Amino acid sequence: MLKLLKKDLRLALHPTCILFLLLSGMLLIPNYPYYVVFFYTTLGIFFTCLTGRENKDIVFSAMLPVRKTDIVNARIALAVIAELAQMAVAVPFAVLRSAIGGANMAGMDANTALFGMSFIMLGLFNLVFFTGYYKNPDRIGMPFLRGCIVTFLFIGAAEAAAATLPFFCDRLDTPDPAFMTEKLLLLAAGAVLFALLTALAAHLSRRRFARLDL
């Protein structure tokens, strides 16, 4: 699997995945829905899989002396690396945004809680997108559309919660380092849910891809 991951990093990773890391700077935009920063990561994953379809990447990988399940594992691992890289690059911009000051009138502040919620959002995307993608890799549009729908429903619900629910408004949607206990708990819970949802996505994707007649 590690050799397949190395192949994906060198040959399959779409350049937009690297370029979208720079969009972490959007956290400096005043009054902006900051969850969109992490949506671009999912777009880069889509472009990677779409380019792979056009280049017959799955067929090429299946011809190698590897297990079909490892093909799935490598691609999902590549997606996780891209998602975690986006998180890491976004941290200093979030710190700078907090130092500049000013509440985000468009939704959640660029704080620790935002990263916890974004972990959950990315885990949901992985579950919806990859389970659909590995059911039929030639029809990638619908899985991504369903992933987008789930992602933006989550963003809408999260931003609505930040505007209406007292716990979100008064504790989570506040500048760091206020209420760090609650925010760190949400970050930990989000990371755990991200890991569980992605693991479930990998499990279901492996089962579906194993049944696929290439």
Side-chain angles (χ1 to χ4, degrees), residues 54-167:
E54 302 307 314
N55 292 334
K56 308 297 182 183
D57 178 69
I58 286 183
V59 175
F60 168 75
S61 298
M63 294 173 65
L64 299 174
V66 297
R67 296 177 298 180
K68 290 178 72 175
T69 54
D70 284 341
I71 297 173
V72 176
N73 291 338
R75 181 54 52 88
I76 293 181
L78 180 69
V80 170
I81 289 172
E83 291 162 347
L84 294 181
Q86 189 80 65
M87 290 279 186
V89 173
V91 169
F93 290 102
V95 173
L96 181 56
R97 174 72 258 174
S98 181
I100 293 172
N104 179 17
M105 303 306 293
M108 183 74 76
D109 285 346
N111 59 15
T112 303
L114 174 74
F115 287 86
M117 296 293 286
S118 297
F119 266 125
I120 300 173
M121 182 184 78
L122 292 174
L124 289 170
F125 172 82
N126 290 343
L127 179 62
V128 174
F129 173 70
F130 282 112
T131 54
Y133 171 63
Y134 281 108
K135 187 176 181 180
N136 185 352
D138 289 332
R139 301 184 64 183
I140 189 174
M142 285 306 297
F144 182 66
L145 177 60
R146 288 192 290 268
C148 288
I149 291 172
V150 169
T151 298
F152 280 99
L153 285 175
F154 179 89
I155 292 174
E159 298 292 39
T164 58
L165 297 182
F167 180 72

Side-chain angles (χ1 to χ4, degrees), residues 174-192:
T174 56
D176 288 341
F179 304 106
M180 283 303 293
T181 300
E182 292 89 338
K183 292 174 183 176
L184 288 172
L185 286 173
L186 176 57
L187 178 63
V192 170

Side-chain angles (χ1 to χ4, degrees), residues 20 37-47 83 121-122 125-126 129 144 148 151:
F20 287 160
V37 171
F38 302 103
F39 163 74
Y40 281 107
T41 310
T42 69
L43 188 59
I45 293 168
F46 166 70
F47 285 149
E83 291 162 347
M121 182 184 78
L122 292 174
F125 172 82
N126 290 343
F129 173 70
F144 182 66
C148 288
T151 298

